[in-house]
Amino acid sequence: MRTHNLGYPRIGSNRALKKASEAYWAGKATAEELLLTGKTIRYDNWKIQQDAGIDLIPVNDFSFYDQVLDMSFMLGAIPRRYHPLMEKERLPDIDLLFAMARGYQKEGYDITAMEMTKWFDTNYHYIVPEFTAHQRFSLLSHKALNEFLEAKHKKINAKPVLLGPISYLLLGKEKEAGFHRLELIENLLPVYLELIQTLDNAGAHYIQLDEPCLALNLDEATRSIYLDTYKQIRARFPHLHIILANYFECYGENLATALQLPVQTLHLDLVRCPAQLGDILEAYHKDSKLHLSLGLVDGRNIWKNNFDQSLALIDTAIAKVGEEKLWIAPSCSLLHSPCDLDLETNEAVLQPEVRQWMAFARQKLAEVVTLKKLASAETDDATRAAWESNRAAVAGKLSSALIHNPLVKQRVQAITDRDARRANTFAIRKEKQQQALHLPLFPTTTIGSFPQTKEVRAWRAQFKKGDLSAAQYEALLQEETERSIRWQEETGIDVLVHGEFERNDMVEYFGEQLSGFAFTQNGWVQSYGSRCVKPPVIYGDVSRTVPMTVKWSAFAQSLTGKPVKGMLTGPVTILQWSFVRNDQPRSATCNQIALAIRDEVADLEAAGLKVIQIDEPAIREGLPLRRENWDDYLKWAVNAFRISAGGVKDETQIHTHMCYSEFNDIIEHIADMDADVITIECSRSQMELLDAFAAFRYPNDIGPGVYDIHSPRVPTQAEMVDLLEKAQAVIPAGQLWVNPDCGLKTRHWEETKMALVEMVNAAKAMRLLVNAAQPS
Ligand code: GLN
Ligand code: ZN
């Protein structure tokens, strides 16, 4: 039996890469310094993996920005707009790479960045390859080769990792009409072969080709391209050991194809899909030479592996396949795990009892190696001790009072359909809300946050350090909130917000106040480029012990006669942006959070808030990768939202907000959330996405964002009127709200004020237009 790893976090355990790249971008470090940081991280990572006892260590998993962008670069798929930077300016590779990732605005150039999108269902974003009809490819850089040689020189048993050709094409986008990107395989494959040839020449015996698109629903034509392509790779390199890696889901209906691919090793994600082991073993012919890589250690979460469970799977596989054809691995690249639990030393931040249940990337390597030793009976004392302590941790978790709160479980058990339903239909509620709120046509509002200025952030930092007392900190926040309320009143906004000045982050703020959540000091995971996130950890039953937002919302409401909107993060978003416990279904955890939010909603209502917004920006990204699993997810996710919102009286107006726009395929479920008002991102697509709402005859109120908050540009009244007219052409005026695309937290006050004044004027202009059109 052998161990291998699919990829290691490249941000460095103290986020060295982030610091080095940002210093370089700011002109505070040289390219040499940045390249050296990269080199050091690579060496450290290889050493960590070698010391852990991993047999085959991935190389070319390192990246200064993104592995898909690296692939585009190596394959010479450089979009035309960057060609002058190559040809005329002769930018060094690293600068060209960053220009593609981040755009290039200097020396008279204004070149936009390449698009970025989520990597499958993770929170990692990759740079989307761009293809033209006659796209050419050529081997442009030797990154993979260089890193392989570096590793070889360091006596690392290295396995180059490449994104496979079919997934590479599928993850890209056609930038011209008239062709499908998979047709490019003919041009692409020769360059892949050339690339693999360089590695072969340099002495690589193994190559890992990642084909995560095999986890998606594919059609027959795509499957046959897979077969064809891999046959050609095989024919050219009969002696190379190719590991085909699929992860994040089952092979599903692509399994038969995967088993026919002429590769030596097939990797299975047995964390996401343990059931597929049975299917594969059933199809496995006893004389087959195929090796199986069992992805047993969860690369997507921070919990310790359950050794007994993993060993049972390994034993089942041994019985059919035999030890010599089995590999043990993490389920996917460890890119999605934080680096090292050993850095969590502050017991006040992460209590030891919770910490003992966790494993980060470095600890996961040790788990892989221990599993192999246990399964092959290579057990020494240390391995036996590791097994015992693993059993103790697993057993302790089963019964820990920290995790299990019988009252919470009972409450979830007792949820009925009635809890997930408002008392009356939207039509009835709308009338009662109108009587309570007296809103004009085209009511104006914002999405919640106002600028988090340097000052606001400095107060929070000083408060955390103890340089400001709680009373001083609160007084400052109160003044800021009051200023924001006064300004909104003056500007003539109809539904006000308090501004969220007290919040660091829309999930962390709630997690910190709910029980069942833990936080880390160093649990950073790369999100994109130098951006990292530190997700909260949901380890136990979630409950709300005290009101979380009522003080601020009630304070803001006490300042004004206009309605103030209470501002909450929804259960699905809190779930989606955290590391979630794996000892119960995600839906069960989501329901617990929903009940906590429901209590908060009830308290806000009791405190006099007539409008309450429950943000769900993450509901769509939680969609499973395979369509056959969508319905189940949407059912519990929508229901959790409804539980959180379902307890209020008809007069209380519930808003929700989502900051994206592809609703076509889930519009009925969005409608099923039954929020009285939904605000969505819309301005960048020029209201096109309202088509889905119009075609579906979306019944409740909608606030299509009328300006893009991601840019400091101040929109004009005229252009917003234009957008609202477009909206009104497909949605009745009586259903429309006027608001920005998203929260204003990242903007400056100056541009925010100007933009919102224009926005209010646009709404007023629309009211006049509509009234003028009405026969008197
Ligand atoms: N209420 C949040 C804010 O305005 C919503 C943020 C979001 O949609 N991501 O900041
Ligand atoms: Zn948003």
Side-chain angles (χ1 to χ4, degrees), residues 446-450 497 499-500 503 505-506 565 567-569 573 577 613-618 657-660 679 741-746:
T446 61
I447 306 304
S449 56
F450 274 124
V497 296
E500 302 182 23
R503 302 185 190 177
D505 172 275
M506 66 185 289
K565 199 159 48 160
M567 202 52 65
L568 304 173
T569 303
T573 299
W577 291 350
Q613 177 169 312
I614 308 170
D615 290 325
E616 283 291 20
H657 165 71
M658 299 171 191
C659 15
Y660 48 81
T679 56
D741 268 344
C742 193
L744 297 159
K745 178 173 168 177
T746 55

Side-chain angles (χ1 to χ4, degrees), residues 336-348:
H336 312 289
S337 301
C339 292
D340 190 356
L341 187 63
D342 288 351
L343 298 174
E344 301 301 321
T345 48
N346 187 339
E347 296 188 356

Side-chain angles (χ1 to χ4, degrees), residues 10 63 65-75 77 97 100 114 117 119-120 124-129 131 163 167-169 171-172:
R10 55 213 178 199
S63 176
Y65 205 94
D66 163 48
Q67 75 273 11
V68 183
L69 177 62
D70 289 343
M71 225 43 237
S72 292
F73 205 98
M74 276 189 276
L75 300 167
L97 190 88
M100 290 162 74
M114 291 173 77
T117 196
W119 177 248
F120 298 86
Y124 176 80
H125 301 71
Y126 74 94
I127 302 277
V128 182
F131 302 127
L163 177 59
S167 293
Y168 173 71
L169 287 176
L171 290 166

Side-chain angles (χ1 to χ4, degrees), residues 407-431:
L407 292 177
V408 173
K409 294 195 206 294
Q410 278 161 24
R411 226 184 133 196
V412 169
Q413 280 294 314
I415 294 175
T416 64
D417 285 351
R418 185 68 206 77
D419 295 319
R421 235 184 312 124
R422 301 285 296 270
N424 279 298
T425 59
F426 174 68
I428 297 174
R429 299 191 315 255
K430 181 158 175 157
E431 212 164 290

